[in-house]
Amino acid sequence: MSNDAAAVTRLAADLVAIDSRSSVSNLPLADRIEAELAGFEIERLDYTDPQGVAKRALVAHRGPRGGYALSGHMDTVPGTGWTDPPWTPRIMDGVLHGLGSVDMKGPVAACIIAARGLPAHVPATLLLTADEETTKQGARIIAAQSKLAASLGLQGIVVAEPTGLAPVRGHRSHIEYTAIARGEQAHSSTGKGLNANWALIPFMAEMKAIYEKLRFDPAYHDAAYDPPFSDFNMVIDNHGTAVNVTVAQATVRIKFRRSRRIDVSGIEAAVQAAAKRAGVELAERREGTPPELPVDHPLIRLAVDITGKPAATAPYGTDASELQDIAPCVILGPGTIATAHTPRECVALADLAAAVPIFRRILSAGAAG
């Protein structure tokens, strides 16, 4: 095993061993990462998330200004469904298993090993975020508040999400709707309560019609994406109400992913009108504009030339929706998204090792620019 391969394996396992679900503080993980960045100028961007949890985003830089940045997020999804200990990294047959191994502590480790292994004359920047799996608040804070990132004049950003080391030139971003209907809690046998679901059901019926329009109307399809139709996923919550209790609050959350080319203003207006008709409260939270670069963009050409793989698009979202405000973004990283967000999450160590020289070549291209 080469020095880089051994280093990325060790660091990836160390990062997996630290619980950094979006619901908990990532400060222990940020401290562990900072310990790997001797000689880098480091900017700490501390904030408190909407639940009052302390979070930190990091910007690290070494060398001249300019060049390219590597980016990854420090948080993970919850450990839902895991039977093995999620934060006990296990290496079996050349594969690292554990929560966050591919999404994206393994790729973050590859970014760190790549950046710190470059000579001093090559600009090397790391943008390390928090809350990518929920609100993307860490990326927004870097884009809006980082004095270091703003001072660098970056040419481009590699968001190292798992793509099989194939460049992704664009992806969808989402609007998250939350619709709340309110009732009055009572013992259901008394006839005294008011079940909030009765107000929510008409709203949900209209949402089903929107779902079908997005899925089956070619006017809302984008052939550059697989699948071509937008995701319009609904989650319903009665907040633990028992079956013999009238529902005091009923909540529907909808994640609506759209691509850059499609005009969805009519869909947005339809959601708002349906909520008004049903008398439910509606709130929305949206990511930035869906990032998408043309195939002939210099950053995409560079990524294609270095990897030897054609550029594609992806149906999911990443921090690129926010970081594109700093510089153009390409999504490119080791591993496959197939096991991410599952209790079988894993990444091949060979993939992590292969990412290191690719990331170094991209960063080195910044020295020539």
Side-chain angles (χ1 to χ4, degrees):
M1 183 180 288
S2 71
N3 289 339
D4 283 342
V8 76
T9 297
R10 172 190 58 81
L11 181 55
D14 284 356
L15 300 185
V16 167
I18 301 173
D19 178 7
S20 63
R21 291 168 295 164
S22 303
S23 59
V24 304
S25 177
N26 74 318
L27 296 186
L29 183 63
D31 288 342
R32 176 66 185 86
I33 287 172
E34 192 171 330
E36 296 289 325
L37 297 174
F40 281 74
E41 179 182 358
I42 295 177
E43 180 184 33
R44 303 176 191 91
L45 296 161
D46 290 338
Y47 66 96
T48 302
D49 73 14
Q51 286 69 47
V53 179
K55 299 290 178 64
R56 175 175 294 162
L58 294 172
V59 178
H61 178 79
R62 191 179 69 184
R65 291 326 199 219
Y68 296 97
L70 304 175
S71 180
H73 61 84
M74 293 180 271
D75 62 313
T76 74
V77 295
T80 307
W82 282 79
T83 53
D84 294 320
W87 304 287
T88 300
R90 299 171 306 285
I91 296 174
M92 297 180 288
D93 299 323
V95 176
L96 172 65
H97 299 259
L99 178 59
S101 54
V102 77
D103 189 14
M104 58 179 302
K105 292 177 176 179
V108 165
C111 291
I112 292 168
I113 300 305
R116 75 179 192 190
L118 287 166
H121 71 275
V122 176
T125 303
L126 296 168
L127 308 176
L128 302 174
T129 73
D131 291 318
E132 190 274 346
E133 298 290 5
T134 52
T135 64
K136 297 188 170 51
Q137 189 172 359
R140 279 200 302 278
I141 284 174
I142 288 178
Q145 300 179 20
S146 172
K147 295 178 180 178
L148 179 54
S151 74
L152 296 176
L154 292 171
Q155 297 171 246
I157 299 168
V158 176
V159 179
E161 292 276 5
T163 67
L165 290 174
V168 170
R169 64 180 182 85
H171 64 63
R172 292 180 169 129
S173 65
H174 76 252
I175 304 171
E176 183 174 321
Y177 292 108
T178 301
I180 299 175
R182 301 192 186 277
E184 183 178 346
Q185 184 173 326
H187 194 296
S188 62
S189 68
T190 66
K192 302 292 186 183
L194 176 64
N195 192 314
N197 285 328
W198 300 129
L200 202 59
I201 288 171
F203 174 78
M204 292 193 307
E206 293 199 53
M207 294 307 97
K208 184 173 186 292
I210 291 174
Y211 165 84
E212 291 172 346
K213 179 187 288 289
L214 289 168
R215 181 154 290 215
F216 301 116
D217 185 344
Y220 289 100
H221 289 184
D222 188 340
Y225 285 78
D226 181 17
F229 49 83
S230 293
D231 179 27
F232 197 78
N233 190 55
M234 177 186 292
V235 176
I236 304 167
D237 190 357
N238 277 175
H239 307 279
T241 306
V243 73
N244 58 352
V245 177
T246 54
V247 177
Q249 179 175 318
T251 302
V252 161
R253 291 183 295 121
I254 299 169
K255 178 164 279 194
F256 172 31
R257 289 187 172 99
R258 80 275 195 216
S259 59
R260 193 182 191 98
R261 188 182 69 84
I262 303 301
D263 179 5
V264 296
S265 57
I267 299 296
E268 294 180 59
V271 173
Q272 293 162 1
K276 187 175 181 180
R277 279 191 291 271
V280 302
E281 303 166 21
L282 182 70
E284 67 176 54
R285 184 174 64 199
R286 60 178 63 213
E287 296 178 327
T289 303
E292 187 173 312
L293 297 177
V295 292
D296 60 352
H297 188 279
L299 179 59
I300 301 304
R301 291 205 311 267
L302 174 66
V304 168
D305 289 345
I306 287 175
T307 63
K309 297 180 180 180
T313 59
Y316 50 76
T318 76
D319 277 334
S321 59
E322 316 303 327
L323 296 178
Q324 65 181 334
D325 289 346
I326 301 173
C329 295
V330 62
I331 299 85
L332 171 66
T336 170
I337 202 75
T339 66
H341 299 195
T342 77
R344 304 174 304 281
E345 186 172 356
C346 60
V347 63
L349 298 179
D351 291 350
L352 298 182
V356 173
I358 289 174
F359 291 161
R360 283 201 183 125
R361 288 182 64 188
I362 292 173
L363 292 175
S364 296

